[in-house]
Amino acid sequence: MFATNFLFDGKWASDFGLIICSFDNELESASGGEIEFKTVQTPGNDKFVFYGSQFNSAISWNFSICKNPCRNECLCFDQYEESMIAKWLLKTDGYRYIQFNQEGYENVFYKVYFNISPHQLNGRTVGFDLTATSNCAYGFSDVIRKKAHIKLNEPFKLNVHSDINSYIYPIVKVKGVGNFNLTNNYDKMQNALLGKASEFKNVNSQITMDSDNDTIYGLNNPNDFNWYFIRLVDGINEIASNSASDVEIEIQYREPRYIKI
């Protein structure tokens, strides 16, 4: 890591007059995020047979922060400043996005939580030692938004660039009328031909599907949805509908980035 500033929960470290530092003159690189292969060696054979793989750990960082000496005359923290830093970094209700302001990597984000401890010298706090732990083995791009009007037999195509061979679960805002479906023709395991399109009934307002959290808003009755959520795949995606009238959609998603800063 070569960054001196980072964004967490909508606030920059520099907003508090802080910079990333190291109290032992050595910054640690990110750890975790390894891939574990599941293999079996059959009797009498020198080769191992592949049965699957998974990420077995999340990315984590250990680094410190201190006051920026160019902006502060006193480099020690009082109790009110310590309280302010704790309120910013310590969360008990879930992960938050972090972005390191490192040249060439400004558009990579991670979902993390922090543990912090004061770094003291002669009984006074001169900074904080931080451990940031991600929610998975990789990071994400900034939010990508795509809008389109889907006509019957005129699907919307979009190209997704993902570093991970897994599904992306977007937020999809839909404006249509009546009964219709949405399907990603390039999702080989879930599409209209397999009877697994996203089907809506009695639509008269905007619908919002949160595919990552399996939630939907805007329907009058939960039975007006069949609970198949749109998913995106790496590469070409083709979103189609059987609606007789135009369907307006907005897709929001982040692309996975297997990058360790």
Side-chain angles (χ1 to χ4, degrees):
M1 181 195 301
F2 295 99
T4 58
N5 199 8
F6 66 95
L7 178 74
F8 178 73
D9 195 26
K11 296 185 176 79
W12 289 97
S14 57
D15 294 339
F16 300 90
L18 305 174
I19 59 172
I20 296 174
C21 70
S22 173
F23 291 108
D24 56 9
N25 296 320
E26 184 176 347
L27 288 174
E28 296 186 29
S29 59
S31 60
E34 296 87 0
I35 300 174
E36 179 183 359
F37 270 51
K38 297 179 181 179
T39 61
V40 174
Q41 185 180 20
T42 56
N45 195 323
D46 294 334
K47 296 180 180 179
F48 286 80
V49 179
F50 172 75
Y51 279 96
S53 65
Q54 66 180 19
F55 292 101
N56 63 1
S57 63
I59 301 176
S60 65
W61 298 260
N62 291 300
F63 61 96
S64 302
I65 55 175
C66 67
K67 288 186 178 181
N68 187 339
C70 298
R71 294 178 53 184
N72 299 275
E73 292 184 4
C74 177
L75 300 183
C76 296
F77 292 80
D78 60 33
Q79 64 169 313
Y80 302 102
E81 291 171 324
E82 289 196 49
S83 177
M84 178 177 60
I85 300 306
K87 185 174 182 179
W88 170 45
L89 294 178
L90 293 179
K91 306 298 181 185
T92 59
D93 58 350
Y95 295 89
R96 299 289 194 279
Y97 279 106
I98 189 172
Q99 172 194 10
F100 294 101
N101 188 19
Q102 181 168 320
E103 185 176 356
Y105 297 88
E106 297 90 343
N107 62 344
V108 180
F109 297 77
Y110 305 88
K111 292 189 78 171
V112 306
Y113 68 86
F114 272 106
N115 280 307
I116 71 176
S117 60
H119 193 100
Q120 296 189 331
L121 181 65
N122 297 325
R124 301 195 65 182
T125 299
V126 294
F128 296 89
D129 298 317
L130 313 180
T131 298
T133 304
S134 175
N135 71 330
C136 65
Y138 46 85
F140 303 89
S141 72
D142 202 351
V143 176
I144 299 170
R145 291 180 173 85
K146 303 286 187 179
K147 294 183 179 181
H149 284 81
I150 300 176
K151 301 177 183 295
L152 187 63
N153 300 321
E154 293 185 20
F156 167 56
K157 288 188 177 182
L158 69 156
N159 193 9
V160 171
H161 173 67
S162 172
D163 295 348
I164 307 299
N165 186 23
S166 62
Y167 291 109
I168 295 174
Y169 297 89
I171 293 175
V172 183
K173 298 180 180 179
V174 184
K175 290 182 180 179
V177 178
N179 302 340
F180 59 91
N181 70 22
L182 284 178
T183 182
N184 183 359
N185 292 330
Y186 280 75
D187 185 344
K188 296 181 180 180
M189 303 300 294
Q190 182 177 301
N191 57 57
L193 292 177
L194 298 175
K196 296 180 179 181
S198 300
E199 296 184 356
F200 312 95
K201 297 179 181 178
N202 306 314
V203 176
N204 55 21
S205 62
Q206 177 176 287
I207 302 166
T208 300
M209 287 191 296
D210 185 343
S211 300
D212 193 30
N213 294 301
D214 290 339
T215 55
I216 187 167
Y217 307 93
L219 291 175
N220 296 320
N221 190 318
N223 293 325
D224 288 341
F225 181 56
N226 67 344
W227 299 96
Y228 282 111
F229 289 85
I230 290 289
R231 309 182 301 189
L232 303 179
V233 299
D234 184 35
I236 299 296
N237 292 261
E238 187 177 79
I239 312 301
S241 176
N242 66 350
S243 175
S245 57
D246 292 0
V247 175
E248 181 180 343
I249 67 168
E250 178 182 328
I251 301 178
Q252 301 177 18
Y253 60 96
R254 293 177 184 261
E255 296 175 338
R257 295 286 180 264
Y258 192 65
I259 296 172
K260 301 179 186 180
I261 296 178

